[in-house]
Amino acid sequence: MKGSELLRVIGAQVCLHATMAGMRLATPLLALQQGYSAAAVGVLISLFALTQVFLALPAGRFADRYGFKRPLWLSVIAAVVGAGLVVIFPVFPVMCLAALLTGGATGATVIALQRHVGRSATNPTQLKRVFSWLAIAPAVANFVGPFLAGMLIDHAGRAPADMLAFRISFGVMAALPILCWLLARGAHEQPPAPPVAGAKPTRAWDLLREPMFRRLLFVNWLQSSSWDVHAFVLPILGHDRGISASVIGSILGAFAIAAAAIRVILPVIASRASERNVILASTAVTALVFAVYPLLDSAWTMGICSVVLGFALGAVQPMVMSMLHQITPHARHGEALGLRLMTINASSVAMPMLFGSLGALIGIAGVFWVVGGVVAIGARATWGLKV
């Protein structure tokens, strides 16, 4: 894949993902302004991820069958309709529908883009490089979307956060997916993988019978759970240490910046380090950071740990995506990506509830140590990864 095409694909993902990220900020604010409870807002926010859990496998199969552009075009339509409906009908039920549509569109786009980029790479080193660059897109989108939506809500209306400002914000979010299509429509479509003669019909769950795929999925789940526990438990730990909300936010922001920064560096070291070694190093660093975190009581030391953890966890996804494309059949890349996305999103829904219950039993420090211990034990699975 040429550099200019990869840049356009990254820009396309930023635009569509930013729509969901912006809507995820704007719709809860409008719901709260309209008098809805925190519980209702929580349901609204969860709907952005819910569609991705159930849509991931069908979206993967669809991408395997039709390639890159048709899934992307349908995702663009869904995102435009979802955000556009709230411009016309800014009421809570329509906001819930918009959350389902924009969340599902983002998930389907991620699968189609990852499949397209992976099939365009010609060797393992190029796989690591292109996925390192592609992994930067969500980090950029998670900044651009909320920042743009927030600025428009505060400054685009006759008064801050009036209905006109919200409508303008939703309108801009609805326009971003169109820009996504304009950027990606010129991408070179790879020919579909030819069917294997005499092959029996397959199901996505059949992929779990492959030992290496199961191992990779487990390792990816460990890293994703570590990401979730840090985002969920750090604010509680910081509060217990008497650290202010703004400082806790800065510590989490430092984690996000480090996770994005390492993905800029990864293409440089892709030819010098194997996927397994990068994931193994990340696993060891994550376990060590989780062991140390609860012992700290100052914002500076917690910030250093946050940055180190961001470097470690941020390096994993490109390596996992590179290995996944090497160990699964070309004709089933979409299914494999869908199964991975479904697993990660389902975990992100369930893990906070588990962490909360565990924290009530053994304390917040105990949560860090338990998860760190599980990650350390999981290093054995990481050691067994191979392509």
Side-chain angles (χ1 to χ4, degrees):
M1 176 180 287
K2 296 180 179 179
S4 58
E5 181 177 345
L6 179 61
L7 188 61
R8 290 198 303 272
V9 168
I10 292 172
Q13 185 180 355
V14 168
C15 290
L16 203 141
H17 195 117
T19 294
M20 183 194 71
M23 294 292 289
R24 198 166 49 196
L25 171 78
T27 51
L29 291 177
L30 181 57
L32 289 170
Q33 185 172 292
Q34 292 176 344
Y36 286 91
S37 66
V41 171
V43 171
L44 173 60
I45 294 174
S46 70
L47 294 178
F48 284 97
L50 183 64
T51 321
Q52 298 185 40
V53 176
F54 297 101
L55 190 64
L57 282 178
R61 295 193 194 100
F62 192 83
D64 282 334
R65 183 175 181 181
Y66 294 106
F68 168 59
K69 293 184 181 178
R70 187 178 297 190
L72 183 64
W73 175 236
L74 292 175
S75 297
V76 166
I77 292 174
V80 170
V81 170
L85 281 173
V86 190
V87 177
I88 305 170
F89 306 107
V91 294
F92 189 77
V94 177
M95 286 189 271
C96 291
L97 177 61
L100 292 170
L101 287 172
T102 56
T106 301
T109 298
V110 166
I111 292 170
L113 284 172
Q114 289 174 343
R115 179 184 178 276
H116 173 71
V117 168
R119 284 170 56 83
S120 300
T122 57
N123 57 66
T125 298
Q126 194 176 64
L127 269 174
K128 288 181 281 187
R129 286 175 176 167
V130 296
F131 279 120
S132 297
W133 287 116
L134 190 64
I136 298 171
V140 175
N142 285 330
F143 170 77
V144 171
F147 178 78
L148 184 58
M151 290 291 291
L152 290 170
I153 290 169
D154 283 343
H155 302 290
R158 299 183 185 91
D162 65 1
M163 185 54 69
L164 176 61
F166 275 105
R167 287 180 187 270
I168 292 174
S169 178
F170 293 136
V172 172
M173 294 302 107
L176 286 175
I178 299 174
L179 182 57
C180 163
W181 175 251
L182 293 176
L183 286 169
R185 64 177 181 173
H188 175 67
E189 186 82 64
Q190 293 289 319
V196 179
K200 296 179 180 180
T202 60
R203 298 177 301 171
W205 302 109
D206 295 337
L207 292 168
L208 294 176
R209 296 177 182 174
E210 299 295 328
M212 201 53 57
F213 183 80
R214 289 199 308 268
R215 187 183 293 267
L216 183 63
L217 206 61
F218 172 70
V219 168
N220 195 195
W221 172 78
L222 279 179
Q223 304 294 332
S224 176
S225 296
S226 300
W227 195 300
D228 289 337
V229 74
H230 182 255
F232 178 76
V233 180
L234 178 63
I236 302 174
L237 183 67
H239 178 75
D240 288 347
R241 300 292 190 270
I243 300 173
S244 68
S246 60
V247 175
I248 293 173
S250 299
I251 294 172
L252 287 172
F255 171 86
I257 292 171
I262 191 64
R263 291 171 179 176
V264 177
I265 301 171
L266 275 177
V268 179
I269 64 174
S271 60
R272 298 179 176 86
S274 68
E275 295 93 341
R276 187 188 70 172
N277 288 342
V278 172
I279 298 173
L280 188 61
S282 169
T283 302
V285 171
T286 299
L288 180 62
V289 169
F290 275 20
V292 172
Y293 235 130
L295 305 176
L296 307 176
D297 56 7
S298 75
W300 281 107
T301 53
M302 291 175 69
I304 293 171
C305 271
S306 183
V307 169
V308 172
L309 189 65
F311 283 140
L313 295 179
V316 171
Q317 181 181 322
M319 301 298 107
V320 168
M321 300 306 302
S322 174
M323 294 195 75
L324 184 145
H325 274 76
Q326 294 178 68
I327 66 176
T328 54
H330 280 275
R332 306 190 67 187
H333 281 166
E335 280 185 310
L337 290 167
L339 190 57
R340 172 190 168 273
L341 187 65
M342 184 188 72
T343 303
I344 297 307
N345 278 302
S347 175
S348 295
V349 172
M351 285 300 105
M353 293 184 287
L354 177 62
F355 298 149
S357 301
L358 191 62
L361 289 174
I362 63 175
I364 294 303
V367 174
F368 272 112
W369 288 328
V370 167
V371 175
V374 172
V375 171
I377 295 171
R380 182 178 180 181
T382 304
W383 183 260
L385 287 174
K386 59 182 180 180
V387 294

